[in-house]
């Protein structure tokens, strides 16, 4: 017998068929090779995709790179596309956003916050109106070009905003876990969403991850380069990220969520969190 995730070997006969297998790959939606292989070999594999306010994403990613020992350019040098090495393709699709990132930017740049560009490659929206194409920065005349480069999946997508992992509202947190269980085929809808005793997944708890700092790095350098993106010197950077957030929020809510293959937990709260992308979080 085989099941999703099996190798077809004799060992599979001794494994419980209820085991769910997966892997984490932040770059998957940016890779031609990965998406092509999934379309060809794993067309029914489901996705769990998390997104975050572009401003908060940039600060977190930039500081993470520093803590991992990378020497980063000044943040204001990372406005726009991540440059590609000379002689290498610089886009997800020809003339689209950057895919192959050089060793200077380390994938940190404002254009990589265009999460809706990557999501659009899954073929879940019509892409047949000028309004949608404009949000993707594609002129209407290139619709046929887009269609030839994005993929057609039957895969379902569980889309989550990072703010949904908050435990400030216990009922909402338990509902999130329950609905993720249902998506994974591990549970059924509970009558009381605040009763998490039957969850197969762990309850959401307060998460305070340690800042893992790579050994043998210059701590003084790291401390001098960590950024507070709300500083005035980053106003232009934030303005770009907020504009990206507005376009991403509109596209996800108006087009992506309309697909029957896209699942979110507590849609009203999810939309509320995406509406926050239209504003600068530093103005609070």
């Amino acid at each position: 017998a085989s099941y999703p995730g099996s190798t077809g070997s004799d060992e599979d006969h001794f494994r419980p068929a209820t085991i769910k297998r997966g892997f984490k790959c932040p770059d998957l939606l940016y890779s031609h090779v990965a998406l092509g292989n999934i379309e060809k070999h794993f067309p029914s594999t489901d996705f769990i995709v998390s997104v975050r306010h572009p401003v908060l994403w940039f600060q977190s990613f930039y500081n993470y790179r520093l803590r991992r020992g990378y020497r980063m350019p000044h943040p204001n040098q990372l406005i726009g596309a991540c440059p590609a090495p000379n002689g290498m393709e610089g886009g997800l699709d020809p003339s689209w956003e950057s895919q192959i990132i050089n060793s200077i930017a380390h994938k940190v740049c404002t254009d990589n916050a265009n999460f809706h560009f990557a999501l659009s490659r899954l073929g879940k929206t019509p892409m047949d109106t000028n309004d949608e194409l404009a949000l993707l920065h594609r002129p209407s005349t290139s619709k046929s070009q887009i269609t030839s480069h994005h993929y057609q999946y039957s895969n379902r997508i569980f889309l989550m905003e990072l703010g949904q992992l908050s435990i400030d509202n216990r009922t909402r947190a338990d509902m999130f876990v329950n609905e993720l269980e249902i998506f994974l085929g591990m549970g059924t809808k509970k009558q009381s969403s605040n009763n998490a005793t039957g969850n197969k997944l762990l309850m959401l708890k307060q998460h305070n991850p340690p800042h893992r700092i790579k050994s043998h790095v210059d701590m003084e350098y790291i401390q001098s380069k960590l950024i507070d993106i709300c500083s005035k010197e980053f106003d232009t950077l934030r303005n770009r990220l907020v504009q990206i957030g507005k376009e991403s929020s509109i596209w996800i809510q108006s087009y992506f969520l309309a697909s029957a293959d896209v699942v979110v937990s507590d849609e009203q709260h999810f939309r509320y969190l995406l509406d926050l992308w239209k504003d600068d979080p530093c103005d609070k």
Side-chain angles (χ1 to χ4, degrees), residues 173-242:
D174 291 342
M175 181 190 302
F176 175 85
V177 173
N178 179 215
E179 292 180 349
L180 181 56
E181 286 181 338
I182 294 171
F183 178 82
L184 294 172
M186 298 172 62
T188 57
K189 195 73 174 179
K190 296 179 175 62
Q191 293 297 316
S192 176
S193 60
N194 62 356
N195 176 15
T197 57
N199 284 346
K200 296 180 178 65
L201 299 177
L202 296 177
M203 290 177 60
L204 287 180
K205 298 181 180 180
Q206 185 62 47
H207 182 50
N208 295 307
H211 292 306
R212 294 188 178 90
I213 299 176
K214 196 172 183 179
S215 59
H216 309 298
V217 299
D218 186 341
M219 289 298 300
E220 185 175 345
Y221 170 81
I222 291 176
Q223 292 301 324
S224 68
K225 296 297 183 180
L226 291 174
I227 66 168
D228 175 1
I229 203 166
C230 292
S231 297
K232 186 172 180 57
E233 66 175 308
F234 303 131
D235 283 355
T236 301
L237 171 66
R238 287 200 318 279
N239 288 339
R240 174 69 72 88
L241 290 166
V242 170

Side-chain angles (χ1 to χ4, degrees), residues 30 51-55 57-58 78-82 97 108-118 134-137 236-252 274-280:
Y30 295 89
V51 291
R52 189 179 191 182
H53 192 303
V55 172
W57 167 85
F58 187 98
L78 300 175
I79 298 174
C82 293
E97 68 272 25
V108 183
C109 62
T110 58
D111 275 15
N112 275 359
N114 282 293
F115 306 130
H116 60 312
F117 285 9
L135 290 170
L136 297 169
H137 295 190
T236 301
L237 171 66
R238 287 200 318 279
N239 288 339
R240 174 69 72 88
L241 290 166
V242 170
Q243 181 58 39
I244 290 171
K246 289 178 182 177
E247 295 176 350
S248 292
S249 174
I250 293 170
W251 183 85
I252 291 172
L274 257 67
D275 280 337
L276 297 179
W277 291 18
K278 302 173 183 178
D279 299 314
D280 187 343

